[in-house]
Amino acid sequence: MPETFDAPLRALADTLTLEQKVRLLTGADVWSTAAEPAIGLRAMTLSDGPSGVRGPVWDERDPSLNLPSATALAASWDLDLTARYGATSAAEARRKGVHVVLGPTINLHRSPLGGRHFEAFSEDPMLTGALAAEYVLAVQRHGIGATPKHYVANDFETERYTADVALDDRALHELYLAPFEAAVAAGAWLVMSAYNAVHGVTMTENALLTTPLRTHWYFDGVVVSDWTAVRSTVAAACADQDLVMPGPDGPWGANLVAAVRAGAVPEARIDAKVLRLLRLASRVGALDVGGLDGDGTELGDSTTNGLPETARSAPYAERLGRDVAREVAAAGMVLVRNNGELPWPATGPGTIAVIGEAASHPRTQGGGSATVVVTETVSPLDGLRAALPGATVRAHPGVPVQTGLHPLPLTAMTDPVSGKAGLRARFLDDDGVELLSEHRTAAQLVYLGTVPDGAATIELSTGYTPDPESDDLRLGVAGVGPTRLELDAEVAFERVLGGAGTALGAALLTPDVASVPVTSSERVAVVVRQRIPRGDGDAMGLVAITLGTAPARRDRTELIEAAAELARTSDAAVVVVGTSSETESEGFDRETLALPGAQDELVRAVAAANPRTVVVVNSGGPVLLPWRNEVAAVLLAWFGGQELGHALADVLLGDAEPGGRLPTTWPAEQDDVPVLSTTPVDGVLRYDEGIHIGYRAWLRAGRRPAYPFGHGLGYTTWHLADLALEAAADGSVEVGVSVRNTGDRRGKQVVQVYLSRSDSTVERPVRWLAGFATVFADPGHRKPVRITLAPRAFSHWDGEWQIEPGVFTIHVGTSVESLSLSTNVTVSTARWAAHGARE
Ligand code: BGC
């Protein structure tokens, strides 16, 4: 940024003492930065993200829009839709007084076992970078900061705080850094440094924060740490790490002031960080003009995001947000098999069996920090019932999938203090003195940075009335710490709930569960008391506890037979299968790609009972579908956000096209996956496959997955023709192709361009994605499509970006394996020549 723009900010920073400056470099609490009234600097609120905006509290009293997860958005391959998704996130941020959204997550799907892939876009760096850039632009266009994360090589969860990634320079630049480069080029105001190390140095101290981030990409924004990722004073402060989160405690503060005074950290480093923070503040409207002018103008309330209170609380276009959620969910659904069953006619089949736990309790978002608290989710069952009032829609829960708890519904709880629907949550100190007592309307509670000081115990109490229709239930508690459950003043159990180790956030990510059978349908007075453990999680002030029910274990054969019987007596069956929060979430990688529980047996039995069986897959990443060729249709629905059920009905009934194409390869067998392990050995995870991940690795191994990268069926047919190239003076190549909808209904196609190189002195992927475009066309219509291949698409990394002169082949088609057109282009760094196209 030119000096002149920075001059007023520098002048402000110059008025601060060293203590004042250093104070700004650690968060004031879990979600906000420190204010400095002396220079008109307001606190800034940062919030997860990236699929919706939670806001500074994790609380059902301040709910959020739950957008579909990143894999769903990425599957749309639709940049315009991504821009609307980003704009919707910005609107949510404004509504919640949030200045900075902690997203997008742009690590890569290196192995399908990665636990957090629902939150990242793709296995391909080009697709990831294109989506990231669009997301960043859209969010920031509305004055909200975006935070591409986690820089860099945080593509797994195992030992995530400490693992060291060993990878070669080419893979680092061509794969893992590339999406960050695109996001920074789009003007990102922040980047989040990751927990892991690369080349033996933890990312918050790593030289990659300087080169290429600052020196080559000219990033002028703030590097915010992942939460608790800064572990040192001198090393991190000497690196290009700017902001330590969360606060107010942390390794900088007084230690950093002392280190500067002792000469261990140059004060100029501190000044550079403060300048970047002020630059961010000026971008998001957190720097008061009065402060800038130094005229002492009184500051506004720091919680209003610089907006007058009236603007912030003005009616929010909630409907619009929901419409975007619904549209993205449908646009990301990937139809991978269809024997002619779909779409159904507008009135649907007369009788439909809707089977599976996820049919009523779908996963609409992934677990962990990406979670937002939502008012209402539309399940597949709700969606189908709403869309087909004239049809008979009957449900069966299938086999158990979640081993955790479903939080008690509001209608089943009565707060003993207020008598209102809900429960009473109290925090007590060591002497049992009440520190906080509040009425809550949800039974899954997370206090992150809102636990009262001195709290030793959390207590939940409610009058619980079991649903008389659901037999065989267990009532229980999920959380971490010594826990006691009382029913009508009798102790039902007293146990220490563990969670996976003492790792940060275990209560949130891997809670333990204890439960007892529900023996009557009469209301019972429930009191839960849990000691708040003192552990690493304290750094975040985290308490997470759920009071809920689980189905008692029932005989799976009986359940499967009952489900199959329902299917047999219905015109068509929809089985919704998926992962559970115990098998796919932030905080751990997946152990297997198989569906949890007996879901494969369930699908097979239902398909045997009804040939019109449609399977809907509700997962964030790939799962194995061993029965995929035995069913009528398979639709991948991802974690489709709060409107998932409506979007599903839209797609099944043909009101919307299943618009998705795979952003990541789906294997047939786990053993076939070329790059699988996410487990560090002696603390080091080696990316030995170099530049060959995802479809590149499948192609190199000569193996065929169940469904290749880029694949997806719509409801119409297409013909691609007239491939033509045009070289531009800047070294880019324009690929022209005409796309004709040869079917009888409007549809969407994603035209994909790949490059290959047969005679190369450089090791290369068999082919690689170089560009793409989404096309919508009416039946019989032909659309001209132009896709620009930037010089970067032809480049490889060898200490710098280089182009090897010679002949590249351009392949055009509709998946990495379905490429009907090709032509050659001769590239010299100075001159480009196109040859005739082949069909
Ligand atoms: C996650 C980040 C998230 C942060 C704050 C971390 O554990 O890795 O993605 O933004 O927590 O919730």
Side-chain angles (χ1 to χ4, degrees):
M1 186 165 279
E3 283 287 304
T4 43
F5 284 115
D6 281 346
L9 301 180
R10 279 184 207 281
L12 280 185
D14 284 348
T15 65
L16 300 177
T17 63
L18 177 62
E19 282 80 357
Q20 283 175 311
K21 288 188 281 192
V22 166
R23 196 177 64 87
L24 298 181
L25 303 179
T26 295
D29 57 37
V30 177
W31 302 115
S32 27
T33 59
E36 183 46 87
I39 56 168
L41 174 66
R42 301 168 197 271
M44 293 179 272
T45 301
L46 288 61
S47 173
D48 298 305
S51 304
V53 182
R54 190 172 57 245
V57 288
W58 196 304
D59 195 314
E60 76 286 354
R61 293 165 295 187
D62 187 10
S64 304
L65 177 72
N66 166 204
L67 288 165
S69 296
T71 36
L73 176 63
S76 76
W77 293 59
D78 188 334
L79 298 181
D80 292 339
L81 197 56
T82 305
R84 278 196 284 139
Y85 185 104
T88 306
S89 304
E92 274 288 90
R94 279 213 171 261
R95 184 176 71 84
K96 296 206 139 210
V98 164
H99 301 81
V100 170
V101 174
L102 300 173
T105 302
I106 56 174
N107 301 115
L108 297 183
H109 298 169
R110 173 178 170 268
S111 155
L113 291 178
R116 209 173 172 178
H117 284 359
F118 62 86
E119 198 179 320
F121 292 125
S122 167
E123 66 189 19
D124 182 81
M126 193 258 152
L127 176 59
T128 302
L131 294 161
E134 210 57 53
Y135 181 112
V136 166
L137 282 168
V139 169
Q140 295 189 171
R141 197 171 289 134
H142 298 272
I144 304 294
T147 316
K149 65 186 186 184
H150 312 82
Y151 188 83
V152 60
N154 185 181
D155 315 287
F156 56 94
E157 291 292 278
T158 311
E159 299 177 24
R160 69 172 181 153
Y161 301 111
T162 54
D164 177 24
V165 176
L167 80 177
D168 66 55
D169 237 31
R170 234 187 120 186
L172 179 63
H173 285 84
E174 292 185 21
L175 299 183
Y176 303 100
L177 285 172
F180 285 95
E181 185 176 2
V184 169
W189 294 341
L190 301 94
V191 162
M192 184 187 287
S193 50
Y195 288 127
N196 56 286
V198 170
H199 295 150
V201 182
T202 196
M203 279 312 304
T204 51
E205 299 167 12
N206 203 292
L208 290 167
L209 294 178
T210 307
T211 300
L213 185 60
R214 308 271 185 201
T215 54
H216 289 62
W217 303 348
Y218 307 107
F219 175 63
D220 67 0
V222 168
V223 172
V224 57
S225 70
D226 199 344
W227 266 228
T228 72
V230 173
R231 289 105 174 179
S232 66
T233 306
V234 172
C238 285
D240 266 316
Q241 174 67 49
D242 298 319
L243 176 62
V244 172
M245 287 302 284
D249 302 322
W252 287 8
N255 293 341
L256 184 51
V257 171
V260 174
R261 296 241 153 88
V265 177
E267 188 159 353
R269 287 251 145 216
I270 306 300
D271 291 340
K273 297 177 201 301
V274 170
L275 181 65
R276 291 168 191 148
L277 195 81
L278 294 182
R279 202 181 275 145
L280 174 66
S282 71
R283 285 170 163 162
V284 299
L287 200 51
D288 205 77
V289 179
L292 262 180
D293 295 346
D295 70 356
T297 307
E298 210 167 291
L299 297 179
D301 172 359
S302 70
T303 61
T304 59
N305 195 5
L307 292 173
E309 191 58 38
T310 44
R312 220 191 124 220
S313 56
Y316 169 63
E318 197 201 347
R319 187 67 252 169
L320 278 180
R322 287 206 210 176
D323 287 351
V324 171
R326 182 169 176 165
E327 194 180 338
V328 172
M333 282 185 197
V334 188
L335 183 65
V336 288
R337 175 179 168 82
N338 187 12
N339 70 359
E341 174 64 28
L342 296 177
W344 287 336
T347 50
T351 327
I352 311 173
V354 181
I355 294 166
E357 189 175 294
S360 312
H361 297 286
R363 300 192 70 195
T364 62
Q365 54 182 334
S369 59
T371 306
V372 298
V373 184
V374 63
T375 345
E376 196 192 355
T377 59
V378 182
S379 71
L381 188 60
D382 300 334
L384 280 167
R385 284 195 166 138
L388 293 171
T392 307
V393 180
R394 298 178 298 169
H396 185 278
V399 289
V401 179
Q402 285 282 139
T403 49
L405 300 174
H406 295 303
L408 293 186
L410 185 56
T411 47
M413 302 188 288
T414 309
D415 176 347
V417 178
S418 67
K420 293 187 196 151
L423 58 74
R424 175 72 27 183
R426 300 200 308 147
F427 281 94
L428 311 169
D429 73 8
D430 273 324
D431 301 321
V433 175
E434 181 180 290
L435 302 172
L436 173 76
S437 168
E438 57 179 4
H439 171 72
R440 298 295 300 257
T441 52
Q444 182 164 42
L445 304 182
V446 178
Y447 293 86
L448 188 46
T450 48
V451 179
D453 284 345
T457 301
I458 180 168
E459 181 195 89
L460 309 183
S461 47
T462 192
Y464 164 52
T465 314
D467 175 358
E469 296 202 352
S470 42
D471 53 354
D472 272 351
L473 277 185
R474 294 181 70 84
L475 174 71
V477 183
V480 168
T483 305
R484 186 162 81 170
L485 174 73
E486 286 173 16
L487 299 178
D488 284 338
E490 299 273 321
V491 177
F493 65 70
E494 195 148 17
R495 269 190 46 191
V496 179
L497 299 182
T502 56
L504 182 76
L508 187 60
L509 302 171
T510 53
D512 214 349
V513 177
S515 65
V516 290
V518 176
T519 47
S520 128
S521 57
E522 298 294 304
R523 180 193 287 193
V524 57
V526 178
V527 178
V528 178
R529 269 192 210 101
Q530 187 169 77
R531 294 282 299 173
I532 300 169
R534 305 256 176 260
D536 296 347
D538 279 359
M540 299 242 256
L542 170 71
V543 169
I545 184 167
T546 303
L547 176 62
T549 55
R553 294 278 135 191
R554 287 197 11 220
D555 181 57
R556 69 157 75 161
T557 318
E558 230 175 74
L559 290 167
I560 291 173
E561 272 169 14
E565 186 50 32
L566 190 72
R568 192 171 293 117
T569 53
S570 304
D571 293 324
V574 175
V575 189
V576 187
V577 296
T579 54
S580 65
S581 51
E582 296 81 35
T583 57
E584 187 187 14
S585 171
E586 179 181 336
F588 52 88
D589 288 316
R590 293 163 66 192
E591 284 169 15
T592 166
L593 297 177
L595 285 168
Q599 296 184 90
D600 290 335
E601 285 165 67
L602 173 71
V603 173
R604 285 203 160 105
V606 172
N610 191 323
R612 295 183 63 192
T613 295
V614 175
V615 181
V616 176
V617 184
N618 178 210
S619 67
V623 290
L624 304 178
L625 312 173
W627 33 258
R628 64 191 180 282
N629 297 326
E630 298 161 32
V631 299
V634 180
L635 187 64
L636 313 181
W638 314 105
F639 294 157
Q642 66 177 66
E643 303 297 312
L644 168 68
H646 285 321
L648 179 65
D650 292 343
V651 166
L652 295 178
L653 295 168
D655 292 334
E657 173 87 354
R661 302 295 182 267
L662 286 176
T664 212
T665 309
W666 276 50
E669 302 283 344
Q670 184 157 321
D671 287 348
D672 293 346
V673 178
V675 180
L676 189 67
S677 175
T678 56
T679 308
V681 176
D682 296 332
V684 180
L685 187 60
R686 307 193 65 84
Y687 286 13
D688 283 337
E689 69 286 346
I691 56 170
H692 305 280
I693 64 166
Y695 64 86
R696 303 160 179 233
W698 285 86
L699 290 170
R700 185 164 76 143
R703 292 182 206 152
R704 293 199 65 130
Y707 304 114
F709 179 80
H711 171 72
L713 309 166
Y715 288 152
T716 182
T717 50
W718 300 88
H719 183 67
L720 274 56
D722 308 327
L723 175 58
L725 304 182
E726 206 176 293
D730 67 352
S732 57
V733 174
E734 288 260 311
V735 177
V737 60
S738 78
V739 181
R740 191 154 63 90
N741 180 347
T742 51
D744 57 8
R745 47 178 295 142
R746 185 176 165 75
K748 166 187 169 183
Q749 184 55 284
V750 178
V751 180
Q752 301 159 42
V753 180
Y754 296 83
L755 291 178
S756 70
R757 177 72 192 241
S758 50
D759 63 332
S760 177
T761 55
V762 181
E763 184 196 353
R764 291 182 183 274
V766 175
R767 50 186 171 272
W768 64 96
L769 184 71
F772 64 91
T774 46
V775 185
F776 299 85
D778 288 325
H781 281 232
R782 183 193 300 270
K783 285 269 179 90
V785 173
R786 293 181 80 77
I787 299 169
T788 304
L789 310 186
R792 176 59 66 81
F794 298 88
S795 311
H796 65 276
W797 178 265
D798 185 6
E800 59 179 345
W801 289 106
Q802 301 200 354
I803 293 180
E804 182 191 22
V807 178
F808 287 79
T809 304
I810 294 179
H811 309 263
V812 182
T814 54
S815 85
V816 72
E817 283 185 9
S818 174
L819 297 164
S820 57
L821 302 174
S822 68
T823 186
N824 286 341
V825 61
T826 302
V827 171
S828 73
T829 35
R831 200 169 57 81
W832 300 73
H835 304 281
R838 287 195 303 269
E839 191 166 344

